[in-house]
Amino acid sequence: MIYEIRIYEAAEGRAEVMRRRFSDHVATRFFPRHGIDLLGAFTAPVEDGCLTYMTRFADEESRKKAWAAFAADPEWAALKAATETGGPLLKNQTVSVLSPAIAGLLLG
């Protein structure tokens, strides 16, 4: 099992639109469709324009396949274009892929 943490930093003034697109469409429709297991999505206690979320995959091959399928989804491409008519929603993203450090030691 591997885990992935992504931090999305919104373009200036676009944080709410970015988060809404994620919660209303990406997390609920596209992730399940493409085998992306969302473990949680988070914001900071003080507004920082970011969205942080964690996903889980069986292995690296599954992770790469899921993200490739998501990126190639024509419905996603249409939604992305429709929500970015005023410019990109993301200024920057950071991706960290992690494996458990101690086998069998997972919380929850």
Side-chain angles (χ1 to χ4, degrees):
M1 194 65 62
I2 62 169
Y3 299 81
E4 183 178 67
I5 297 173
R6 288 184 176 234
I7 302 170
Y8 288 174
E9 181 183 355
E12 186 68 32
R14 308 285 282 168
E16 184 56 35
V17 176
M18 175 191 69
R19 291 179 188 134
R20 196 169 46 249
R21 179 176 73 183
F22 183 84
S23 65
D24 294 353
H25 303 284
V26 175
T28 57
R29 185 177 352 153
F30 297 108
F31 279 10
R33 179 184 298 173
H34 298 294
I36 300 170
D37 185 14
L38 179 64
L39 298 178
F42 312 91
T43 56
V46 176
E47 176 59 55
D48 63 357
C50 291
L51 171 70
T52 301
Y53 66 91
M54 180 178 248
T55 56
R56 173 175 55 192
F57 302 90
D59 52 37
E60 180 62 16
E61 183 180 334
S62 298
R63 186 184 80 82
K64 287 181 179 180
K65 182 179 175 182
W67 283 116
F70 172 77
D73 188 318
E75 191 177 346
W76 161 243
L79 174 67
K80 186 176 186 305
T83 56
E84 294 189 349
T85 57
L89 299 186
L90 291 181
K91 176 181 176 182
N92 188 42
Q93 70 173 317
T94 303
V95 178
S96 299
V97 179
L98 308 165
S99 296
I102 302 171
L105 181 63
L106 293 176
L107 303 176

